[in-house]
Amino acid sequence: MNMDSAIRYIHSLSVFGSRPGLERVRALLERCGNPHRSLNAVHIAGTNGKGSTAAMLASILRARGLRAGLFTSPGVETFSERIQIGFEPIPPAALCALAAELKAHTERLSAEGVYVTEFEFVTALGFLHFARAGVEAAVVEVGMGGRFDATNVLERPLLSVITPVSLDHTKVLGDTVEAIAAEKAGILKEGVPVVVCPWQDGRAMGVIRETALRNGCALYQPDETDFRKRETRLDGSDFVYRGQPYTLPLPGAHQLQNALTAIEAALRLGAWDITPDEVRRGLASVAWTGRLEVVRERPLCLLDGAHNPAKIAALAAAIDDLLPGRRLVSVMGLSGDKDEACVTPIARRSAALIAFDGFEARGKPVPASRIAETARLHCKAIEASALEEAAELALREAGEDGAVLFCGSMYFLGDAKRLLRRKSNAV
């Protein structure tokens, strides 16, 4: 099995959809020796910021000198980046070998009427890779929800973490913050401590607190009164927490909430006695693609995967803070399960918004015509047939001194990044 056939097989499992439940992934893991049971894991759930928080915590663990695994989704540029050790994606040879091994188990299960889904397969692959590579710590991001997410086979993680909870995936998780919080809090295990982000929605916090109490979990939350923001810039932020100065290279004030959560989580991992200096070095070296990532200077081009109302609100606030007075042209594509309410905050801050569809995503993308119709109430709106046309139009609209923002979905950011690199190299 080579990389192309491995990835093709993994994606073929999408035919079984996304089905909540742990029975299938448990059956698959049982066939390969239950590798998840050997992992020292931190399990992270939440609507927003869980990937960034996971990346920060993994970077801190690496600064501590630990061999740390990181499991996230989706990948932006490559599939392999979803499974990392020391911020190195799983090597092609390892991915192919493990995929072939798991394929054999999956096909036997199918013959028995047990149909493993794509995410369940990838979860098992990630856990198997970590176990065989001997990682000392594994930071595991939930795919969707928590209670019935495949990653929730982790029976006794060292720590559970819950980042900001808001409305997203409402058809699956529920249409209230309380219902969604209950799904996220489903990762809490009896007696396992939990760290919750600062400034958590009060409705969600009530559900999380009640669940923690019921499960005998010590609950920790960063002390927001002991936090001071010094400066936010396009290349990151400086802040002070618990009297310690930190620099974070991820821009946007919303990332400071994630940083405080990662710091608090690191300090609650008593097995390793992580020091403030190790936290400082870890945060200073974190890199996380597709989060207000600068990929070109003239015009300034940024990629951001914001794709639900709360993430879009945070992105809008970052635009106000970091790009005041700059002519902004936005390129937007939305996955089919996303709310068109995501369009308005970006359109209001844009001189022009270019909408496109036709990219690979969860569900059929929202038609460009519908995105443009909403945007037209607030700015110049243009429809493009594909990403490349949208990028060409945006670069012309922005001019050398303007800025271009690609946003609305994680699923096209990798293509946008490669496209902009080619254009930069051609200049």
Side-chain angles (χ1 to χ4, degrees):
M1 183 176 275
N2 59 29
M3 274 293 285
D4 286 343
S5 61
I7 300 300
R8 191 162 53 247
Y9 175 74
I10 291 169
H11 289 330
S12 76
L13 297 173
S14 65
V15 70
F16 300 120
S18 176
R19 294 180 291 156
L22 303 179
E23 299 81 7
R24 295 175 300 276
V25 69
R26 281 178 176 148
L28 179 58
L29 288 164
E30 178 73 28
R31 298 291 173 106
C32 52
N34 290 311
H36 59 298
R37 291 180 179 166
S38 68
L39 300 178
N40 293 317
V42 178
H43 201 191
I44 302 182
T47 306
N48 304 314
K50 60 185 184 291
S52 296
T53 303
M56 292 178 200
L57 182 56
S59 188
I60 292 168
L61 293 170
R62 184 184 179 194
R64 177 68 179 87
L66 298 172
R67 185 168 169 79
L70 176 64
F71 180 84
T72 62
S73 62
V76 174
E77 291 191 77
T78 67
F79 176 89
S80 300
E81 69 191 58
R82 299 173 64 168
I83 302 166
Q84 303 180 21
I85 298 176
F87 287 103
E88 289 296 324
I90 181 171
L95 190 150
C96 293
L98 293 176
E101 180 179 340
L102 288 171
K103 179 184 177 185
H105 294 312
T106 299
E107 289 178 343
R108 291 190 195 104
L109 286 169
S110 294
E112 298 169 15
V114 178
Y115 301 104
V116 174
T117 68
E118 179 177 356
F119 185 70
E120 290 162 352
F121 188 97
V122 176
T123 299
L125 197 155
F127 290 169
L128 193 56
H129 179 55
F130 292 160
R132 292 191 178 167
V135 300
E136 296 166 275
V139 182
V140 177
E141 178 194 359
V142 164
M144 182 171 65
R147 183 164 58 117
F148 294 122
D149 186 79
T151 63
N152 206 27
V153 294
L154 293 168
E155 295 163 357
R156 192 161 183 82
L158 299 177
L159 187 71
S160 304
V161 178
I162 300 183
T163 64
V165 175
S166 64
L167 296 176
D168 199 7
H169 303 296
T170 54
K171 291 180 181 178
V172 177
L173 303 179
D175 59 3
T176 66
V177 169
E178 292 88 345
I180 292 174
E183 295 298 322
K184 308 293 184 186
I187 71 167
L188 272 58
K189 305 298 191 301
E190 185 175 351
V192 174
V194 56
V195 170
V196 183
C197 68
W199 306 291
Q200 180 66 269
D201 184 292
R203 296 164 295 177
M205 195 67 207
V207 173
I208 297 165
R209 188 178 287 112
E210 180 182 336
T211 307
L213 182 63
R214 187 167 61 247
N215 286 280
C217 305
L219 189 152
Y220 303 99
Q221 196 169 18
D223 182 1
E224 59 214 56
T225 67
D226 208 357
F227 159 77
R228 180 165 54 89
K229 180 173 66 175
R230 281 182 167 173
E231 185 182 10
T232 56
R233 307 172 304 277
L234 202 51
D235 64 350
S237 301
D238 298 325
F239 66 98
V240 176
Y241 180 58
R242 295 189 186 275
Q244 297 289 333
Y246 297 101
T247 293
L248 180 70
L250 302 182
H254 57 288
Q255 292 289 7
L256 298 175
Q257 182 179 32
N258 300 328
L260 296 190
T261 307
I263 292 171
E264 198 67 29
L267 297 179
R268 298 299 172 185
L269 290 170
W272 293 305
D273 294 323
I274 297 170
T275 67
D277 183 62
E278 289 163 344
V279 173
R280 186 176 299 109
R281 288 189 285 111
L283 286 182
S285 61
V286 70
W288 198 226
T289 191
R291 278 72 174 179
L292 270 176
E293 180 185 7
V294 176
V295 292
R296 179 170 167 160
E297 294 292 342
R298 291 183 69 84
L300 179 69
C301 292
L302 305 108
L303 308 178
D304 194 275
H307 56 260
N308 64 40
K311 288 183 177 180
I312 288 288
L315 174 58
I319 291 169
D320 293 342
D321 187 29
L322 301 173
L323 301 175
R326 196 150 190 175
R327 177 179 173 81
L328 177 68
V329 177
S330 298
V331 175
M332 179 174 279
L334 290 174
S335 298
D337 61 346
K338 298 307 174 188
D339 195 329
E340 289 172 66
C342 293
V343 178
T344 297
I346 302 303
R348 284 177 173 165
R349 290 162 173 81
S350 302
L353 186 147
I354 300 165
F356 77 102
D357 51 28
F359 58 96
E360 294 291 328
R362 182 192 292 117
K364 191 176 181 180
V366 175
S369 58
R370 280 169 50 191
I371 298 173
E373 182 181 2
T374 302
R376 201 165 282 121
L377 299 172
H378 308 284
C379 68
K380 179 180 178 180
I382 305 169
E383 295 174 40
S385 59
L387 174 61
E388 185 158 8
E389 181 189 359
E392 291 279 4
L393 291 168
L395 292 171
R396 285 203 299 268
E397 283 281 339
E400 284 208 350
D401 296 325
V404 178
L405 170 67
F406 294 79
C407 66
S409 174
M410 295 294 293
Y411 289 98
F412 67 80
L413 294 190
D415 288 337
K417 193 170 184 177
R418 285 185 285 271
L419 176 63
L420 290 167
R421 281 176 180 156
R422 287 200 307 271
K423 291 184 178 298
S424 294
N425 292 337
V427 173

